[in-house]
Amino acid sequence: EVQLVQSGGGLVQPGRSLRLACVASGFRFDDFAMHWIRQGPGNGLEWVSSITWNGGSTGYADSVKGRFTISRDNAKNSLYLQMDSLRTEDSAFYFCVKDRTHLIEVASSYFDPWGQGTLVTVSS
Amino acid sequence: IQMTQSPSSLSASVGDRVTITCRASQSISSYLNWYQQRPGKAPRLLIYTTSNLQNGVPSRFSGSGSGTDFTLTINSLQPEDFATYYCQQSYHTPPYTFGQGTKLEMK
């Protein structure tokens, strides 16, 4: 069974940092691009960041560019999101998501499956 | 690319047929995906590339469209179908963009 198990959320003050992690199982992790997608309280879905199968290329939403860093460790079947200079508007559930393909920015891409989500709350 | 869903909410009964519309601000060819999100759960892929049913998704779900206008149809609604539905485009990226969601509620 394909599974994505997330960890690392919590309450953090504005301006501080937090690191999210996602461990994959049930598929060959290094064959697929991965993404982070977030959902604010009562809000819709917002794509945050993407990374190719080998980490060679990444992409970020304008809202997080320069503050968040996506990375992966294929030896550990793990995806990470380093979130620095956090703002109150970054408060959301964050989902780790697998792509259909090994590249990013591919037209035929889709997101499946999704991790269980982890809550990040940025508040003083 | 802006994705606009209509309606934002919809009331229906078990056994009804419902249609949700998604409009893109410019052509996305057929690269439109649909997700279902039940309360307190992560989204789940239903349909990819306009009309392809993901494995395990019941055949009462179907999708159609091309260019800028797309629809998700659910035939014979079941109790487990009451959820929020999102469309998402992958043609003009980054960013990958979602519709604002359509909440399907029981009448």
Side-chain angles (χ1 to χ4, degrees):
Chain A
E1 180 194 2
V2 176
Q3 264 199 315
L4 299 169
V5 178
Q6 300 180 223
S7 60
L11 173 63
V12 63
Q13 293 178 326
R16 304 297 292 266
S17 298
L18 204 58
R19 189 195 199 204
L20 305 184
C22 170
V23 177
S25 61
F27 66 99
R28 184 164 171 146
F29 183 68
D30 58 6
D31 272 352
F32 296 93
M34 298 292 295
H35 308 266
W36 290 99
I37 294 169
R38 70 184 180 184
Q39 185 170 36
N43 290 346
L45 299 165
E46 180 188 17
W47 168 78
V48 173
S49 183
S50 302
I51 188 166
T52 54
W53 66 281
N54 63 353
S57 184
T58 59
Y60 298 93
D62 287 345
S63 58
V64 307
K65 202 172 292 182
R67 301 187 298 120
F68 289 12
T69 304
I70 191 172
S71 62
R72 64 191 297 160
D73 183 339
N74 287 345
K76 294 182 178 180
N77 287 349
S78 294
L79 176 72
Y80 305 101
L81 185 68
Q82 177 67 39
M83 303 184 292
D84 299 323
S85 303
L86 281 161
R87 305 168 180 169
T88 55
E89 56 264 35
D90 294 319
S91 296
F93 276 96
Y94 284 73
F95 296 98
C96 160
V97 188
K98 172 184 166 290
D99 199 306
R100 180 193 72 81
T101 178
H102 61 298
L103 300 174
I104 61 174
E105 300 167 20
V106 173
S108 59
S109 167
Y110 52 74
F111 303 129
D112 180 69
W114 297 54
Q116 85 276 18
T118 187
L119 180 61
V120 172
T121 303
V122 184
S123 175
S124 53
Chain B
I1 302 274
Q2 304 262 13
M3 306 299 294
T4 304
Q5 290 180 231
S6 61
S8 295
S9 63
L10 176 60
S11 293
S13 301
V14 172
D16 284 354
R17 178 176 185 262
V18 299
T19 298
I20 297 169
T21 296
C22 179
R23 175 163 287 173
S25 57
Q26 58 184 280
S27 177
I28 56 171
S29 184
S30 62
Y31 297 108
L32 188 283
N33 307 313
W34 290 97
Y35 301 86
Q36 176 195 63
Q37 187 177 30
R38 294 175 175 140
K41 299 292 188 181
R44 162 200 181 199
L45 177 70
L46 290 178
I47 290 173
Y48 61 93
T49 319
T50 296
S51 59
N52 297 281
L53 229 57
Q54 175 64 338
N55 291 341
V57 175
S59 59
R60 62 181 179 272
F61 290 90
S62 63
S64 64
S66 68
T68 60
D69 294 308
F70 301 85
T71 59
L72 170 69
T73 299
I74 313 172
N75 286 303
S76 188
L77 269 174
Q78 298 301 299
E80 61 267 28
D81 299 336
F82 293 96
T84 301
Y85 293 85
Y86 293 94
C87 62
Q88 174 252 324
Q89 70 85 21
S90 54
Y91 190 59
H92 293 288
T93 59
Y96 302 82
T97 47
F98 293 85
Q100 81 279 15
T102 295
K103 187 173 184 179
L104 177 54
E105 299 174 302
M106 196 176 296
K107 190 181 290 183

PDB file of all heavy atoms in Angstrom, chain A residues 11-17 67 83-91 121-124:
ATOM      1  N   LEU A  11       2.950  24.464  16.923  1.00  0.00           N
ATOM      2  CA  LEU A  11       2.753  25.894  17.156  1.00  0.00           C
ATOM      3  C   LEU A  11       4.111  26.580  17.174  1.00  0.00           C
ATOM      4  O   LEU A  11       5.035  26.133  17.885  1.00  0.00           O
ATOM      5  CB  LEU A  11       2.036  26.093  18.493  1.00  0.00           C
ATOM      6  CG  LEU A  11       1.882  27.535  18.999  1.00  0.00           C
ATOM      7  CD1 LEU A  11       1.033  28.357  18.049  1.00  0.00           C
ATOM      8  CD2 LEU A  11       1.290  27.541  20.408  1.00  0.00           C
ATOM      9  N   VAL A  12       4.222  27.655  16.430  1.00  0.00           N
ATOM     10  CA  VAL A  12       5.488  28.385  16.357  1.00  0.00           C
ATOM     11  C   VAL A  12       5.204  29.882  16.293  1.00  0.00           C
ATOM     12  O   VAL A  12       4.167  30.296  15.774  1.00  0.00           O
ATOM     13  CB  VAL A  12       6.315  27.902  15.133  1.00  0.00           C
ATOM     14  CG1 VAL A  12       5.591  28.203  13.833  1.00  0.00           C
ATOM     15  CG2 VAL A  12       7.708  28.488  15.134  1.00  0.00           C
ATOM     16  N   GLN A  13       6.112  30.665  16.828  1.00  0.00           N
ATOM     17  CA  GLN A  13       5.937  32.120  16.812  1.00  0.00           C
ATOM     18  C   GLN A  13       6.298  32.700  15.451  1.00  0.00           C
ATOM     19  O   GLN A  13       7.152  32.142  14.721  1.00  0.00           O
ATOM     20  CB  GLN A  13       6.804  32.756  17.884  1.00  0.00           C
ATOM     21  CG  GLN A  13       6.381  32.423  19.305  1.00  0.00           C
ATOM     22  CD  GLN A  13       7.315  33.047  20.326  1.00  0.00           C
ATOM     23  OE1 GLN A  13       8.513  33.174  20.105  1.00  0.00           O
ATOM     24  NE2 GLN A  13       6.753  33.430  21.467  1.00  0.00           N
ATOM     25  N   PRO A  14       5.697  33.812  15.094  1.00  0.00           N
ATOM     26  CA  PRO A  14       6.075  34.481  13.837  1.00  0.00           C
ATOM     27  C   PRO A  14       7.576  34.771  13.810  1.00  0.00           C
ATOM     28  O   PRO A  14       8.169  35.152  14.821  1.00  0.00           O
ATOM     29  CB  PRO A  14       5.261  35.777  13.875  1.00  0.00           C
ATOM     30  CG  PRO A  14       4.095  35.459  14.737  1.00  0.00           C
ATOM     31  CD  PRO A  14       4.602  34.516  15.785  1.00  0.00           C
ATOM     32  N   GLY A  15       8.151  34.547  12.626  1.00  0.00           N
ATOM     33  CA  GLY A  15       9.573  34.781  12.445  1.00  0.00           C
ATOM     34  C   GLY A  15      10.450  33.573  12.734  1.00  0.00           C
ATOM     35  O   GLY A  15      11.633  33.566  12.369  1.00  0.00           O
ATOM     36  N   ARG A  16       9.866  32.553  13.386  1.00  0.00           N
ATOM     37  CA  ARG A  16      10.644  31.361  13.702  1.00  0.00           C
ATOM     38  C   ARG A  16      10.587  30.348  12.576  1.00  0.00           C
ATOM     39  O   ARG A  16       9.972  30.584  11.529  1.00  0.00           O
ATOM     40  CB  ARG A  16      10.114  30.748  15.015  1.00  0.00           C
ATOM     41  CG  ARG A  16      10.116  31.704  16.187  1.00  0.00           C
ATOM     42  CD  ARG A  16      11.506  32.158  16.570  1.00  0.00           C
ATOM     43  NE  ARG A  16      12.328  31.103  17.131  1.00  0.00           N
ATOM     44  CZ  ARG A  16      12.449  30.867  18.444  1.00  0.00           C
ATOM     45  NH1 ARG A  16      11.779  31.603  19.308  1.00  0.00           N
ATOM     46  NH2 ARG A  16      13.235  29.895  18.868  1.00  0.00           N
ATOM     47  N   SER A  17      11.237  29.208  12.807  1.00  0.00           N
ATOM     48  CA  SER A  17      11.348  28.166  11.785  1.00  0.00           C
ATOM     49  C   SER A  17      10.696  26.872  12.238  1.00  0.00           C
ATOM     50  O   SER A  17      10.533  26.635  13.438  1.00  0.00           O
ATOM     51  CB  SER A  17      12.822  27.895  11.466  1.00  0.00           C
ATOM     52  OG  SER A  17      13.452  29.042  10.951  1.00  0.00           O
ATOM     53  N   ARG A  67      11.648  31.802   1.548  1.00  0.00           N
ATOM     54  CA  ARG A  67      11.471  31.490   2.966  1.00  0.00           C
ATOM     55  C   ARG A  67      11.402  29.977   3.216  1.00  0.00           C
ATOM     56  O   ARG A  67      11.825  29.504   4.266  1.00  0.00           O
ATOM     57  CB  ARG A  67      10.192  32.131   3.499  1.00  0.00           C
ATOM     58  CG  ARG A  67      10.146  33.632   3.374  1.00  0.00           C
ATOM     59  CD  ARG A  67       8.913  34.219   4.077  1.00  0.00           C
ATOM     60  NE  ARG A  67       7.659  33.752   3.500  1.00  0.00           N
ATOM     61  CZ  ARG A  67       6.729  33.074   4.159  1.00  0.00           C
ATOM     62  NH1 ARG A  67       6.901  32.778   5.426  1.00  0.00           N
ATOM     63  NH2 ARG A  67       5.596  32.709   3.551  1.00  0.00           N
ATOM     64  N   MET A  83      10.755  25.515   6.764  1.00  0.00           N
ATOM     65  CA  MET A  83       9.977  26.752   6.712  1.00  0.00           C
ATOM     66  C   MET A  83      10.629  27.774   7.641  1.00  0.00           C
ATOM     67  O   MET A  83      10.652  27.576   8.868  1.00  0.00           O
ATOM     68  CB  MET A  83       8.531  26.484   7.135  1.00  0.00           C
ATOM     69  CG  MET A  83       7.854  25.415   6.279  1.00  0.00           C
ATOM     70  SD  MET A  83       6.125  25.191   6.689  1.00  0.00           S
ATOM     71  CE  MET A  83       6.264  24.492   8.322  1.00  0.00           C
ATOM     72  N   ASP A  84      11.173  28.817   7.076  1.00  0.00           N
ATOM     73  CA  ASP A  84      11.822  29.883   7.834  1.00  0.00           C
ATOM     74  C   ASP A  84      11.009  31.170   7.758  1.00  0.00           C
ATOM     75  O   ASP A  84      10.139  31.304   6.890  1.00  0.00           O
ATOM     76  CB  ASP A  84      13.235  30.132   7.299  1.00  0.00           C
ATOM     77  CG  ASP A  84      14.130  28.911   7.422  1.00  0.00           C
ATOM     78  OD1 ASP A  84      14.009  28.182   8.427  1.00  0.00           O
ATOM     79  OD2 ASP A  84      14.957  28.687   6.513  1.00  0.00           O
ATOM     80  N   SER A  85      11.294  32.078   8.672  1.00  0.00           N
ATOM     81  CA  SER A  85      10.609  33.387   8.686  1.00  0.00           C
ATOM     82  C   SER A  85       9.101  33.215   8.565  1.00  0.00           C
ATOM     83  O   SER A  85       8.438  33.859   7.738  1.00  0.00           O
ATOM     84  CB  SER A  85      11.123  34.266   7.543  1.00  0.00           C
ATOM     85  OG  SER A  85      12.506  34.444   7.627  1.00  0.00           O
ATOM     86  N   LEU A  86       8.569  32.354   9.397  1.00  0.00           N
ATOM     87  CA  LEU A  86       7.146  32.032   9.297  1.00  0.00           C
ATOM     88  C   LEU A  86       6.274  33.231   9.624  1.00  0.00           C
ATOM     89  O   LEU A  86       6.612  34.064  10.479  1.00  0.00           O
ATOM     90  CB  LEU A  86       6.811  30.857  10.209  1.00  0.00           C
ATOM     91  CG  LEU A  86       7.199  29.489   9.629  1.00  0.00           C
ATOM     92  CD1 LEU A  86       7.295  28.432  10.707  1.00  0.00           C
ATOM     93  CD2 LEU A  86       6.197  29.077   8.556  1.00  0.00           C
ATOM     94  N   ARG A  87       5.150  33.299   8.947  1.00  0.00           N
ATOM     95  CA  ARG A  87       4.170  34.364   9.116  1.00  0.00           C
ATOM     96  C   ARG A  87       2.848  33.766   9.564  1.00  0.00           C
ATOM     97  O   ARG A  87       2.584  32.581   9.333  1.00  0.00           O
ATOM     98  CB  ARG A  87       3.984  35.107   7.782  1.00  0.00           C
ATOM     99  CG  ARG A  87       5.252  35.647   7.165  1.00  0.00           C
ATOM    100  CD  ARG A  87       5.010  36.101   5.744  1.00  0.00           C
ATOM    101  NE  ARG A  87       6.232  36.626   5.123  1.00  0.00           N
ATOM    102  CZ  ARG A  87       6.355  36.886   3.824  1.00  0.00           C
ATOM    103  NH1 ARG A  87       5.322  36.669   3.004  1.00  0.00           N
ATOM    104  NH2 ARG A  87       7.493  37.348   3.359  1.00  0.00           N
ATOM    105  N   THR A  88       1.999  34.587  10.127  1.00  0.00           N
ATOM    106  CA  THR A  88       0.701  34.084  10.578  1.00  0.00           C
ATOM    107  C   THR A  88      -0.089  33.497   9.412  1.00  0.00           C
ATOM    108  O   THR A  88      -0.814  32.512   9.583  1.00  0.00           O
ATOM    109  CB  THR A  88      -0.116  35.194  11.252  1.00  0.00           C
ATOM    110  OG1 THR A  88      -0.229  36.305  10.356  1.00  0.00           O
ATOM    111  CG2 THR A  88       0.555  35.662  12.550  1.00  0.00           C
ATOM    112  N   GLU A  89       0.090  34.064   8.231  1.00  0.00           N
ATOM    113  CA  GLU A  89      -0.658  33.570   7.067  1.00  0.00           C
ATOM    114  C   GLU A  89      -0.151  32.220   6.546  1.00  0.00           C
ATOM    115  O   GLU A  89      -0.759  31.648   5.639  1.00  0.00           O
ATOM    116  CB  GLU A  89      -0.654  34.606   5.927  1.00  0.00           C
ATOM    117  CG  GLU A  89       0.705  35.055   5.467  1.00  0.00           C
ATOM    118  CD  GLU A  89       1.145  36.351   6.124  1.00  0.00           C
ATOM    119  OE1 GLU A  89       0.820  36.574   7.321  1.00  0.00           O
ATOM    120  OE2 GLU A  89       1.843  37.146   5.441  1.00  0.00           O
ATOM    121  N   ASP A  90       0.940  31.720   7.127  1.00  0.00           N
ATOM    122  CA  ASP A  90       1.416  30.375   6.775  1.00  0.00           C
ATOM    123  C   ASP A  90       0.698  29.296   7.583  1.00  0.00           C
ATOM    124  O   ASP A  90       0.903  28.102   7.353  1.00  0.00           O
ATOM    125  CB  ASP A  90       2.925  30.248   7.032  1.00  0.00           C
ATOM    126  CG  ASP A  90       3.742  31.146   6.122  1.00  0.00           C
ATOM    127  OD1 ASP A  90       3.398  31.245   4.930  1.00  0.00           O
ATOM    128  OD2 ASP A  90       4.721  31.745   6.610  1.00  0.00           O
ATOM    129  N   SER A  91      -0.126  29.701   8.537  1.00  0.00           N
ATOM    130  CA  SER A  91      -0.880  28.735   9.339  1.00  0.00           C
ATOM    131  C   SER A  91      -1.804  27.924   8.435  1.00  0.00           C
ATOM    132  O   SER A  91      -2.616  28.487   7.699  1.00  0.00           O
ATOM    133  CB  SER A  91      -1.712  29.449  10.406  1.00  0.00           C
ATOM    134  OG  SER A  91      -0.890  30.120  11.324  1.00  0.00           O
ATOM    135  N   THR A 121       0.698  26.023  13.035  1.00  0.00           N
ATOM    136  CA  THR A 121       0.047  27.218  13.557  1.00  0.00           C
ATOM    137  C   THR A 121       1.117  28.237  13.894  1.00  0.00           C
ATOM    138  O   THR A 121       2.002  27.969  14.715  1.00  0.00           O
ATOM    139  CB  THR A 121      -0.794  26.906  14.796  1.00  0.00           C
ATOM    140  OG1 THR A 121      -1.755  25.901  14.482  1.00  0.00           O
ATOM    141  CG2 THR A 121      -1.528  28.162  15.274  1.00  0.00           C
ATOM    142  N   VAL A 122       1.032  29.393  13.242  1.00  0.00           N
ATOM    143  CA  VAL A 122       1.996  30.463  13.485  1.00  0.00           C
ATOM    144  C   VAL A 122       1.285  31.557  14.270  1.00  0.00           C
ATOM    145  O   VAL A 122       0.381  32.223  13.758  1.00  0.00           O
ATOM    146  CB  VAL A 122       2.572  31.018  12.179  1.00  0.00           C
ATOM    147  CG1 VAL A 122       3.650  32.056  12.485  1.00  0.00           C
ATOM    148  CG2 VAL A 122       3.128  29.896  11.320  1.00  0.00           C
ATOM    149  N   SER A 123       1.680  31.712  15.519  1.00  0.00           N
ATOM    150  CA  SER A 123       0.992  32.662  16.390  1.00  0.00           C
ATOM    151  C   SER A 123       1.902  33.049  17.552  1.00  0.00           C
ATOM    152  O   SER A 123       2.699  32.225  18.028  1.00  0.00           O
ATOM    153  CB  SER A 123      -0.297  32.035  16.928  1.00  0.00           C
ATOM    154  OG  SER A 123      -0.923  32.889  17.863  1.00  0.00           O
ATOM    155  N   SER A 124       1.753  34.276  18.004  1.00  0.00           N
ATOM    156  CA  SER A 124       2.527  34.725  19.157  1.00  0.00           C
ATOM    157  C   SER A 124       1.777  34.434  20.462  1.00  0.00           C
ATOM    158  O   SER A 124       2.291  34.683  21.548  1.00  0.00           O
ATOM    159  CB  SER A 124       2.810  36.220  19.038  1.00  0.00           C
ATOM    160  OG  SER A 124       1.619  36.935  18.833  1.00  0.00           O
TER     161      SER A 124
END
